[in-house]
PDB file of all heavy atoms in Angstrom:
ATOM      1  N   LEU A1137     -48.919 -10.167   2.717  1.00 76.00           N
ATOM      2  CA  LEU A1137     -48.263 -10.435   1.444  1.00 76.00           C
ATOM      3  C   LEU A1137     -48.036 -11.944   1.275  1.00 76.00           C
ATOM      4  O   LEU A1137     -48.131 -12.491   0.186  1.00 76.00           O
ATOM      5  CB  LEU A1137     -46.941  -9.696   1.404  1.00 76.00           C
ATOM      6  CG  LEU A1137     -46.196  -9.752   0.054  1.00 76.00           C
ATOM      7  CD1 LEU A1137     -47.004  -9.140  -1.038  1.00 76.00           C
ATOM      8  CD2 LEU A1137     -44.854  -9.027   0.166  1.00 76.00           C
ATOM      9  N   ARG A1138     -47.812 -12.648   2.405  1.00 76.00           N
ATOM     10  CA  ARG A1138     -47.644 -14.097   2.368  1.00 76.00           C
ATOM     11  C   ARG A1138     -48.873 -14.766   1.768  1.00 76.00           C
ATOM     12  O   ARG A1138     -48.829 -15.623   0.909  1.00 76.00           O
ATOM     13  CB  ARG A1138     -47.352 -14.691   3.719  1.00 76.00           C
ATOM     14  CG  ARG A1138     -47.197 -16.189   3.741  1.00 76.00           C
ATOM     15  CD  ARG A1138     -47.048 -16.700   5.215  1.00 76.00           C
ATOM     16  NE  ARG A1138     -45.836 -16.241   5.803  1.00 76.00           N
ATOM     17  CZ  ARG A1138     -44.663 -16.870   5.650  1.00 76.00           C
ATOM     18  NH1 ARG A1138     -44.566 -17.942   4.882  1.00 76.00           N
ATOM     19  NH2 ARG A1138     -43.593 -16.401   6.236  1.00 76.00           N
ATOM     20  N   GLN A1139     -50.059 -14.359   2.246  1.00 79.00           N
ATOM     21  CA  GLN A1139     -51.313 -14.907   1.728  1.00 79.00           C
ATOM     22  C   GLN A1139     -51.515 -14.596   0.236  1.00 79.00           C
ATOM     23  O   GLN A1139     -52.020 -15.398  -0.500  1.00 79.00           O
ATOM     24  CB  GLN A1139     -52.504 -14.320   2.494  1.00 79.00           C
ATOM     25  CG  GLN A1139     -52.676 -14.847   3.923  1.00 79.00           C
ATOM     26  CD  GLN A1139     -53.857 -14.176   4.599  1.00 79.00           C
ATOM     27  OE1 GLN A1139     -53.711 -13.055   5.083  1.00 79.00           O
ATOM     28  NE2 GLN A1139     -54.980 -14.823   4.643  1.00 79.00           N
ATOM     29  N   LEU A1140     -51.084 -13.390  -0.121  1.00 74.00           N
ATOM     30  CA  LEU A1140     -51.334 -12.912  -1.524  1.00 74.00           C
ATOM     31  C   LEU A1140     -50.572 -13.692  -2.566  1.00 74.00           C
ATOM     32  O   LEU A1140     -51.070 -14.018  -3.628  1.00 74.00           O
ATOM     33  CB  LEU A1140     -50.999 -11.443  -1.629  1.00 74.00           C
ATOM     34  CG  LEU A1140     -51.303 -10.761  -2.974  1.00 74.00           C
ATOM     35  CD1 LEU A1140     -52.793 -10.783  -3.233  1.00 74.00           C
ATOM     36  CD2 LEU A1140     -50.786  -9.321  -2.973  1.00 74.00           C
ATOM     37  N   VAL A1141     -49.293 -14.009  -2.291  1.00 68.00           N
ATOM     38  CA  VAL A1141     -48.450 -14.604  -3.310  1.00 68.00           C
ATOM     39  C   VAL A1141     -48.469 -16.139  -3.277  1.00 68.00           C
ATOM     40  O   VAL A1141     -48.010 -16.770  -4.231  1.00 68.00           O
ATOM     41  CB  VAL A1141     -46.986 -14.099  -3.206  1.00 68.00           C
ATOM     42  CG1 VAL A1141     -46.961 -12.601  -3.317  1.00 68.00           C
ATOM     43  CG2 VAL A1141     -46.339 -14.536  -1.901  1.00 68.00           C
ATOM     44  N   HIS A1142     -48.980 -16.752  -2.189  1.00 68.00           N
ATOM     45  CA  HIS A1142     -49.010 -18.193  -2.144  1.00 68.00           C
ATOM     46  C   HIS A1142     -50.259 -18.762  -2.870  1.00 68.00           C
ATOM     47  O   HIS A1142     -51.348 -18.172  -2.741  1.00 68.00           O
ATOM     48  CB  HIS A1142     -49.020 -18.698  -0.733  1.00 68.00           C
ATOM     49  CG  HIS A1142     -47.658 -18.541  -0.052  1.00 68.00           C
ATOM     50  ND1 HIS A1142     -47.348 -19.116   1.145  1.00 68.00           N
ATOM     51  CD2 HIS A1142     -46.517 -17.927  -0.481  1.00 68.00           C
ATOM     52  CE1 HIS A1142     -46.103 -18.809   1.506  1.00 68.00           C
ATOM     53  NE2 HIS A1142     -45.591 -18.092   0.507  1.00 68.00           N
ATOM     54  N   LYS A1143     -50.096 -19.815  -3.590  1.00 61.00           N
ATOM     55  CA  LYS A1143     -51.218 -20.390  -4.316  1.00 61.00           C
ATOM     56  C   LYS A1143     -52.231 -20.991  -3.387  1.00 61.00           C
ATOM     57  O   LYS A1143     -53.411 -20.922  -3.606  1.00 61.00           O
ATOM     58  CB  LYS A1143     -50.719 -21.431  -5.318  1.00 61.00           C
ATOM     59  CG  LYS A1143     -51.787 -22.014  -6.211  1.00 61.00           C
ATOM     60  CD  LYS A1143     -51.186 -22.933  -7.259  1.00 61.00           C
ATOM     61  CE  LYS A1143     -52.315 -23.520  -8.126  1.00 61.00           C
ATOM     62  NZ  LYS A1143     -53.015 -22.516  -8.897  1.00 61.00           N
ATOM     63  N   GLU A1144     -51.781 -21.629  -2.332  1.00 60.00           N
ATOM     64  CA  GLU A1144     -52.676 -22.280  -1.402  1.00 60.00           C
ATOM     65  C   GLU A1144     -52.909 -21.371  -0.201  1.00 60.00           C
ATOM     66  O   GLU A1144     -52.060 -20.587   0.201  1.00 60.00           O
ATOM     67  CB  GLU A1144     -52.106 -23.635  -0.945  1.00 60.00           C
ATOM     68  CG  GLU A1144     -51.793 -24.589  -2.085  1.00 60.00           C
ATOM     69  CD  GLU A1144     -53.028 -24.965  -2.858  1.00 60.00           C
ATOM     70  OE1 GLU A1144     -54.141 -24.921  -2.281  1.00 60.00           O
ATOM     71  OE2 GLU A1144     -52.910 -25.312  -4.030  1.00 60.00           O
ATOM     72  N   GLY A1145     -54.068 -21.505   0.432  1.00 60.00           N
ATOM     73  CA  GLY A1145     -54.300 -20.729   1.625  1.00 60.00           C
ATOM     74  C   GLY A1145     -55.745 -20.318   1.736  1.00 60.00           C
ATOM     75  O   GLY A1145     -56.565 -20.544   0.870  1.00 60.00           O
ATOM     76  N   ALA A1146     -56.041 -19.622   2.852  1.00 72.00           N
ATOM     77  CA  ALA A1146     -57.421 -19.153   3.153  1.00 72.00           C
ATOM     78  C   ALA A1146     -57.797 -17.992   2.201  1.00 72.00           C
ATOM     79  O   ALA A1146     -56.897 -17.344   1.619  1.00 72.00           O
ATOM     80  CB  ALA A1146     -57.497 -18.727   4.601  1.00 72.00           C
ATOM     81  N   PRO A1147     -59.081 -17.745   2.036  1.00 83.00           N
ATOM     82  CA  PRO A1147     -59.508 -16.594   1.214  1.00 83.00           C
ATOM     83  C   PRO A1147     -58.847 -15.327   1.728  1.00 83.00           C
ATOM     84  O   PRO A1147     -58.679 -15.123   2.920  1.00 83.00           O
ATOM     85  CB  PRO A1147     -61.009 -16.587   1.392  1.00 83.00           C
ATOM     86  CG  PRO A1147     -61.369 -17.985   1.710  1.00 83.00           C
ATOM     87  CD  PRO A1147     -60.250 -18.541   2.519  1.00 83.00           C
ATOM     88  N   PHE A1148     -58.472 -14.447   0.794  1.00 86.00           N
ATOM     89  CA  PHE A1148     -57.735 -13.221   1.103  1.00 86.00           C
ATOM     90  C   PHE A1148     -58.733 -12.143   1.551  1.00 86.00           C
ATOM     91  O   PHE A1148     -59.592 -11.742   0.782  1.00 86.00           O
ATOM     92  CB  PHE A1148     -57.003 -12.777  -0.169  1.00 86.00           C
ATOM     93  CG  PHE A1148     -56.018 -11.673   0.049  1.00 86.00           C
ATOM     94  CD1 PHE A1148     -54.852 -11.860   0.770  1.00 86.00           C
ATOM     95  CD2 PHE A1148     -56.257 -10.371  -0.444  1.00 86.00           C
ATOM     96  CE1 PHE A1148     -53.962 -10.821   0.997  1.00 86.00           C
ATOM     97  CE2 PHE A1148     -55.381  -9.360  -0.252  1.00 86.00           C
ATOM     98  CZ  PHE A1148     -54.225  -9.587   0.471  1.00 86.00           C
ATOM     99  N   PRO A1149     -58.628 -11.643   2.814  1.00 92.00           N
ATOM    100  CA  PRO A1149     -59.602 -10.655   3.321  1.00 92.00           C
ATOM    101  C   PRO A1149     -59.344  -9.272   2.760  1.00 92.00           C
ATOM    102  O   PRO A1149     -58.175  -8.841   2.645  1.00 92.00           O
ATOM    103  CB  PRO A1149     -59.371 -10.692   4.825  1.00 92.00           C
ATOM    104  CG  PRO A1149     -57.961 -11.137   4.994  1.00 92.00           C
ATOM    105  CD  PRO A1149     -57.652 -12.048   3.839  1.00 92.00           C
ATOM    106  N   VAL A1150     -60.395  -8.549   2.421  1.00 93.00           N
ATOM    107  CA  VAL A1150     -60.304  -7.185   1.894  1.00 93.00           C
ATOM    108  C   VAL A1150     -61.433  -6.349   2.460  1.00 93.00           C
ATOM    109  O   VAL A1150     -62.576  -6.733   2.466  1.00 93.00           O
ATOM    110  CB  VAL A1150     -60.410  -7.169   0.334  1.00 93.00           C
ATOM    111  CG1 VAL A1150     -60.429  -5.737  -0.182  1.00 93.00           C
ATOM    112  CG2 VAL A1150     -59.243  -7.948  -0.289  1.00 93.00           C
ATOM    113  N   ALA A1151     -61.090  -5.156   2.960  1.00 96.00           N
ATOM    114  CA  ALA A1151     -62.070  -4.136   3.366  1.00 96.00           C
ATOM    115  C   ALA A1151     -61.655  -2.848   2.695  1.00 96.00           C
ATOM    116  O   ALA A1151     -60.543  -2.340   2.938  1.00 96.00           O
ATOM    117  CB  ALA A1151     -62.106  -4.021   4.890  1.00 96.00           C
ATOM    118  N   MET A1152     -62.529  -2.299   1.858  1.00 95.00           N
ATOM    119  CA  MET A1152     -62.167  -1.171   1.020  1.00 95.00           C
ATOM    120  C   MET A1152     -63.166  -0.046   1.118  1.00 95.00           C
ATOM    121  O   MET A1152     -64.354  -0.272   1.148  1.00 95.00           O
ATOM    122  CB  MET A1152     -62.057  -1.673  -0.441  1.00 95.00           C
ATOM    123  CG  MET A1152     -61.637  -0.625  -1.463  1.00 95.00           C
ATOM    124  SD  MET A1152     -61.607  -1.296  -3.176  1.00 95.00           S
ATOM    125  CE  MET A1152     -60.490  -2.686  -2.978  1.00 95.00           C
ATOM    126  N   GLU A1153     -62.615   1.181   1.181  1.00 96.00           N
ATOM    127  CA  GLU A1153     -63.438   2.392   1.103  1.00 96.00           C
ATOM    128  C   GLU A1153     -62.988   3.189  -0.099  1.00 96.00           C
ATOM    129  O   GLU A1153     -61.839   3.551  -0.206  1.00 96.00           O
ATOM    130  CB  GLU A1153     -63.278   3.247   2.377  1.00 96.00           C
ATOM    131  CG  GLU A1153     -63.853   2.580   3.637  1.00 96.00           C
ATOM    132  CD  GLU A1153     -63.787   3.490   4.842  1.00 96.00           C
ATOM    133  OE1 GLU A1153     -63.434   4.665   4.667  1.00 96.00           O
ATOM    134  OE2 GLU A1153     -64.121   3.017   5.961  1.00 96.00           O
ATOM    135  N   ILE A1154     -63.893   3.449  -1.036  1.00 94.00           N
ATOM    136  CA  ILE A1154     -63.601   4.121  -2.281  1.00 94.00           C
ATOM    137  C   ILE A1154     -64.368   5.428  -2.370  1.00 94.00           C
ATOM    138  O   ILE A1154     -65.558   5.461  -2.051  1.00 94.00           O
ATOM    139  CB  ILE A1154     -63.946   3.206  -3.485  1.00 94.00           C
ATOM    140  CG1 ILE A1154     -63.269   1.874  -3.384  1.00 94.00           C
ATOM    141  CG2 ILE A1154     -63.586   3.883  -4.792  1.00 94.00           C
ATOM    142  CD1 ILE A1154     -63.745   0.860  -4.364  1.00 94.00           C
ATOM    143  N   SER A1155     -63.697   6.467  -2.826  1.00 94.00           N
ATOM    144  CA  SER A1155     -64.393   7.750  -2.972  1.00 94.00           C
ATOM    145  C   SER A1155     -63.947   8.416  -4.265  1.00 94.00           C
ATOM    146  O   SER A1155     -62.803   8.288  -4.690  1.00 94.00           O
ATOM    147  CB  SER A1155     -64.153   8.689  -1.778  1.00 94.00           C
ATOM    148  OG  SER A1155     -62.785   8.949  -1.641  1.00 94.00           O
ATOM    149  N   ALA A1156     -64.891   9.091  -4.908  1.00 92.00           N
ATOM    150  CA  ALA A1156     -64.639   9.880  -6.091  1.00 92.00           C
ATOM    151  C   ALA A1156     -65.617  11.056  -6.026  1.00 92.00           C
ATOM    152  O   ALA A1156     -66.524  11.053  -5.203  1.00 92.00           O
ATOM    153  CB  ALA A1156     -64.853   9.061  -7.372  1.00 92.00           C
ATOM    154  N   PRO A1157     -65.427  12.086  -6.869  1.00 91.00           N
ATOM    155  CA  PRO A1157     -66.343  13.202  -6.807  1.00 91.00           C
ATOM    156  C   PRO A1157     -67.821  12.765  -6.954  1.00 91.00           C
ATOM    157  O   PRO A1157     -68.198  12.220  -7.982  1.00 91.00           O
ATOM    158  CB  PRO A1157     -65.938  14.070  -7.992  1.00 91.00           C
ATOM    159  CG  PRO A1157     -64.481  13.751  -8.200  1.00 91.00           C
ATOM    160  CD  PRO A1157     -64.368  12.323  -7.834  1.00 91.00           C
ATOM    161  N   GLY A1158     -68.569  12.946  -5.883  1.00 90.00           N
ATOM    162  CA  GLY A1158     -70.023  12.543  -5.924  1.00 90.00           C
ATOM    163  C   GLY A1158     -70.266  11.084  -5.789  1.00 90.00           C
ATOM    164  O   GLY A1158     -71.400  10.649  -6.060  1.00 90.00           O
ATOM    165  N   LEU A1159     -69.274  10.333  -5.379  1.00 92.00           N
ATOM    166  CA  LEU A1159     -69.505   8.847  -5.281  1.00 92.00           C
ATOM    167  C   LEU A1159     -68.702   8.307  -4.099  1.00 92.00           C
ATOM    168  O   LEU A1159     -67.540   8.682  -3.872  1.00 92.00           O
ATOM    169  CB  LEU A1159     -69.050   8.180  -6.602  1.00 92.00           C
ATOM    170  CG  LEU A1159     -69.278   6.691  -6.757  1.00 92.00           C
ATOM    171  CD1 LEU A1159     -69.509   6.338  -8.218  1.00 92.00           C
ATOM    172  CD2 LEU A1159     -68.092   5.864  -6.222  1.00 92.00           C
ATOM    173  N   ARG A1160     -69.330   7.399  -3.358  1.00 95.00           N
ATOM    174  CA  ARG A1160     -68.685   6.713  -2.231  1.00 95.00           C
ATOM    175  C   ARG A1160     -69.150   5.301  -2.181  1.00 95.00           C
ATOM    176  O   ARG A1160     -70.329   4.987  -2.273  1.00 95.00           O
ATOM    177  CB  ARG A1160     -68.983   7.427  -0.911  1.00 95.00           C
ATOM    178  CG  ARG A1160     -68.278   6.836   0.284  1.00 95.00           C
ATOM    179  CD  ARG A1160     -68.424   7.705   1.518  1.00 95.00           C
ATOM    180  NE  ARG A1160     -67.773   9.005   1.357  1.00 95.00           N
ATOM    181  CZ  ARG A1160     -66.474   9.189   1.629  1.00 95.00           C
ATOM    182  NH1 ARG A1160     -65.724   8.207   2.081  1.00 95.00           N
ATOM    183  NH2 ARG A1160     -65.952  10.378   1.446  1.00 95.00           N
ATOM    184  N   ALA A1161     -68.177   4.366  -1.985  1.00 95.00           N
ATOM    185  CA  ALA A1161     -68.507   2.950  -1.940  1.00 95.00           C
ATOM    186  C   ALA A1161     -67.652   2.287  -0.869  1.00 95.00           C
ATOM    187  O   ALA A1161     -66.503   2.648  -0.616  1.00 95.00           O
ATOM    188  CB  ALA A1161     -68.275   2.297  -3.323  1.00 95.00           C
TER     189      ALA A1161
END
């Protein structure tokens, strides 16, 4: 959360798994 709300800082890392009927990403 510290990285998210501060204007300065390193790129914010994200790893996401998304699923919907008949779809996965």
